[in-house]
Amino acid sequence: MTMNMKKYLSLLFIVPAVWSCTFAQDAAQKKFAGEITEELAKKHLTILASPEFEGRGTGQEGGRKTVDYVAKQFEEFGLIKPVNGSYFQPVSLVKSVYAVKDFSIAGQTFTYGKDFYVQGENTLQEYNVDEIVFIGYGIQDEKYNDLKDIDVTGKVVVFINEGEPKDASGNSIITGTDKDSEWTRSRLKRLQELMKKNPKLIIATSSQVATGLPRISARLSSGRYGLKKENTPKENNATPMVIATENMVDQILKAKKTTLADVKKGIAESKKPNSFVIKSKLKANMGNNQEDLHDPNVLGLLEGSDLKEEIVVIGGHWDHDGILPDGTIFPGADDNGTGTVAVIDLARAFSAAKKAGNGPRRSILFIAYAAEEKGLLGSNFYVENPIYPLENTVACINVDMIGRIDDKHLEGNHNYVHVIGTNKLSSELNPLVEKANKDYVGLELDGMYNDPNDPMRLYYRSDHYNFAKKGIPALFFFSGLHPHYHTPEDTVEKIDFPMMVKREHLIFHTAWDMVNRDNKLVVDIPDDGGVR
């Protein structure tokens, strides 16, 4: 037998073996993708978006129930507890709520959330003064200066925080034309310049305050959230700004027997500032109250085989807007109940594959992130405090809202998904997703949000981006925005479960490639640093 004949015969044995292996892998993918079903997705989401879970709010009872629920699923699937024998990675959060215990002027009490709200960082303190300085539009310009020869250091000041003085023809006194000056075009300029004068307290008014207050008043007690920082100063005496209705300021001006309308008219007629001192006693007790919170990320590890030191992260945030003091619940069925369910479903499918002898080569770290709605805080905390070295984390998949049909597709093709990040960091991401879709699913892959000129900039606005900032290739699966986004109407009956599950199947096949390919994804596209 010739050497060529031997080679030919050996190829006859090798080719069927390779084909058989490929066929077996293909069959396994299809089989275990089938573990992700509409029935199970609906079961989990109906629970997580139920009134019992109260919108899964950060620092709320509904949030505590949510993390327990996710951890219970991870335990049932047999995932490893990677955080010192626990599924929970407590995220060090600080909740700041601005509290107003008292606010009165000339003996008249004004109500926080009805007459005014406050933008401030100061710690709780008392204010007790005998006079208030009215400074017109608060503009300090060479051609028009409301603060000329006025010292407001340590004083309470009131000003009109919109527009600028105009003459009878409607021309700006500052520009001399019908074009507004930078004092109006810039939202912050007059406040920034005023702060340099070191007033004790600022009261600002505009025509929009009265209409905007009802919309935000219920949320004032919800507070702001951030990651806790070491060595944060205990005292903060920064100047607070009271955003007051025009009616409230008119009540203040009563002591001078005038109104905002009269003041504006006088300035327009004289083309000169009209600033003055009001002899009225102001008493207030207000400031930030801070509370430490430790809402956890929920982590479960499915260990890989020959490449188990390399990690692929599959995650989505579990939190939403919770319940307001008035009892209003934001169920967050789509945002991000669907993403949380997807993490559970994918963990179940990959765990079933491993139990059947088709486990991943790379390890998969499933994460349900805390406090995404508060500023991507849970994922930020993880990448700064990783349980597994980031240099071993080779890819990240983020699932955030995959259960609805967005406005763009409402009258057209519903068989779609937005895949965001395919043109970032790794040139292998796009062909990987396209192949998984072509071979197994058949969705329209909408890349509109990958356009660098897209104004939404969604690539930078969900949890995957904290991984991308560390140079880790990341994909974000998303079904788009809809009219019920961040409203109490984001409910389970509006979810398109067949499409939700089809999108989960695409994520499963994409992840299967990531965890089983011979080589990890290349990183060959420079990070743009979040700049278009």
Side-chain angles (χ1 to χ4, degrees):
M1 184 181 294
T2 67
M3 185 63 68
N4 285 340
M5 181 63 72
K6 288 181 180 179
K7 287 182 179 178
Y8 174 74
L9 289 174
S10 19
L11 283 172
L12 289 178
F13 288 103
I14 293 170
V15 172
V18 171
W19 181 87
S20 176
C21 180
T22 302
F23 179 79
Q25 282 294 307
D26 181 69
Q29 281 201 61
K30 291 178 180 177
K31 175 182 177 181
F32 295 107
E35 295 282 338
I36 300 170
T37 66
E38 292 177 37
E39 180 184 7
L40 284 173
K42 190 170 186 178
K43 171 192 168 185
H44 289 307
L45 189 57
T46 301
I47 292 170
L48 290 170
S50 69
E52 180 186 355
F53 281 67
E54 298 181 337
R56 307 184 305 279
T58 299
Q60 297 182 350
E61 182 60 28
R64 287 184 278 275
K65 290 180 179 179
T66 303
V67 297
D68 287 341
Y69 186 87
V70 176
K72 181 182 178 183
Q73 309 312 309
F74 285 179
E75 188 161 37
E76 286 185 7
F77 306 152
L79 298 185
I80 293 170
K81 299 177 179 180
V83 190
N84 299 318
S86 171
Y87 291 120
F88 300 132
Q89 181 191 35
V91 178
S92 299
L93 299 170
V94 175
K95 177 183 178 182
S96 298
V97 178
Y98 204 92
V100 178
K101 298 185 177 181
D102 175 53
F103 196 100
S104 65
I105 297 175
Q108 181 176 353
T109 298
F110 294 98
T111 304
Y112 185 53
K114 178 183 177 184
D115 300 308
F116 69 97
Y117 66 99
V118 182
Q119 293 179 344
E121 300 289 340
N122 61 293
T123 48
L124 193 66
Q125 56 189 282
E126 291 188 357
Y127 299 83
N128 197 336
V129 299
D130 295 321
E131 62 180 33
I132 300 168
V133 183
F134 180 80
I135 54 170
Y137 289 93
I139 291 173
Q140 303 175 64
D141 192 87
E142 290 181 0
K143 296 181 180 179
Y144 175 92
N145 189 346
D146 284 304
L147 278 84
K148 185 178 180 181
D149 300 325
I150 297 176
D151 181 11
V152 296
T153 305
K155 304 286 182 65
V156 175
V157 298
V158 182
F159 76 99
I160 304 164
N161 193 28
E162 67 177 348
E164 59 188 75
K166 304 283 181 75
D167 62 22
S169 301
N171 289 329
S172 165
I173 293 173
I174 300 172
T175 66
T177 70
D178 61 356
K179 303 295 184 184
D180 288 331
S181 73
E182 62 180 336
W183 294 93
T184 295
R185 295 196 308 271
S186 170
R187 187 171 59 89
L188 297 174
K189 183 175 178 65
R190 68 186 79 189
L191 176 62
Q192 290 170 338
E193 293 303 312
L194 178 57
M195 292 290 280
K196 294 176 182 178
K197 302 289 185 179
N198 297 315
K200 184 180 186 68
L201 185 142
I202 295 170
I203 302 174
T205 190
S206 75
S207 57
Q208 284 78 44
V209 179
T211 54
L213 258 175
R215 178 171 48 85
I216 68 169
S217 60
R219 294 179 176 269
L220 292 175
S221 61
S222 299
R224 294 177 294 103
Y225 296 76
L227 293 178
K228 187 174 183 180
K229 299 176 182 177
E230 297 297 327
N231 304 317
T232 301
K234 292 184 178 181
E235 297 294 327
N236 186 337
N237 296 317
T239 302
M241 183 164 76
V242 173
I243 313 297
T245 63
E246 290 182 317
N247 181 63
M248 176 174 163
V249 172
D250 275 341
Q251 296 300 312
I252 297 171
L253 292 175
K254 267 187 177 181
K256 295 290 285 188
K257 297 181 180 180
T258 189
T259 65
L260 281 169
D262 290 340
V263 169
K264 291 178 183 179
K265 182 181 178 183
I267 293 173
E269 291 175 349
S270 68
K271 299 183 182 179
K272 294 180 180 179
N274 183 15
S275 301
F276 47 81
V277 173
I278 303 168
K279 293 292 184 181
S280 289
K281 183 178 287 293
L282 180 147
K283 295 180 67 176
N285 189 343
M286 59 190 195
N288 262 313
N289 284 329
Q290 290 196 341
E291 175 187 1
D292 289 348
L293 300 174
H294 300 283
D295 282 25
N297 294 325
V298 189
L299 281 64
L301 183 78
L302 186 69
E303 191 171 65
S305 56
D306 60 312
L307 298 173
K308 68 180 180 180
E309 297 305 316
E310 296 181 8
I311 306 287
V312 172
V313 171
I314 299 176
H317 71 91
W318 60 256
D319 67 304
H320 193 55
D321 288 344
I323 183 170
L324 299 181
D326 65 3
T328 301
I329 293 174
F330 292 77
D334 191 30
D335 185 13
N336 186 32
T338 56
T340 307
V341 170
V343 172
I344 292 171
D345 285 346
L346 290 158
R348 182 179 185 276
F350 275 104
S351 297
K354 181 173 180 178
K355 288 173 185 174
N358 289 279
R361 297 178 68 189
R362 292 177 177 83
S363 297
I364 307 175
L365 181 62
F366 297 95
I367 309 180
Y369 305 108
E372 187 270 355
E373 302 290 7
K374 308 305 180 184
L376 315 185
L377 300 181
S379 54
N380 188 4
F381 185 84
Y382 179 81
V383 299
E384 297 303 330
N385 304 273
I387 301 302
Y388 299 98
L390 291 186
E391 55 266 29
N392 292 354
T393 303
V394 298
C396 170
I397 291 176
N398 177 40
V399 193
D400 193 348
M401 299 174 59
I402 57 164
R404 294 286 296 271
I405 307 302
D406 65 7
D407 294 338
K408 175 183 177 182
H409 297 85
L410 202 57
E411 302 301 325
N413 178 31
H414 290 194
N415 187 52
Y416 77 95
V417 67
H418 296 285
V419 189
I420 304 171
T422 54
N423 59 344
K424 304 287 187 183
L425 292 175
S426 176
S427 62
E428 293 181 337
L429 284 173
N430 192 58
L432 185 157
V433 178
E434 288 188 340
K435 185 177 188 306
N437 184 57
K438 178 177 177 292
D439 290 350
Y440 300 102
V441 188
L443 289 164
E444 172 200 338
L445 303 181
D446 193 325
M448 64 177 285
Y449 293 116
N450 286 321
D451 184 343
N453 294 313
D454 185 81
M456 295 297 292
R457 292 173 55 76
L458 290 182
Y459 178 74
Y460 309 99
R461 292 173 51 189
S462 194
D463 288 304
H464 62 282
Y465 185 57
N466 282 319
F467 289 84
K469 286 193 296 185
K470 300 293 186 180
I472 298 167
L475 290 174
F476 171 19
F477 290 86
F478 178 59
S479 59
L481 300 173
H482 48 76
H484 308 116
Y485 173 70
H486 278 259
T487 75
E489 304 306 313
D490 182 6
T491 51
V492 172
E493 65 271 13
K494 298 181 181 73
I495 299 299
D496 186 331
F497 282 100
M499 282 311 308
M500 173 183 168
V501 168
K502 198 168 185 180
R503 291 160 182 155
E504 287 185 75
H505 284 175
L506 174 61
I507 299 167
F508 174 83
H509 291 297
T510 300
W512 185 284
D513 186 308
M514 284 183 175
V515 299
N516 288 310
R517 58 179 22 232
D518 289 334
N519 299 312
K520 64 184 180 182
L521 293 167
V522 298
V523 179
D524 57 354
I525 301 176
D527 178 27
D528 63 9
V531 179
R532 284 200 269 137

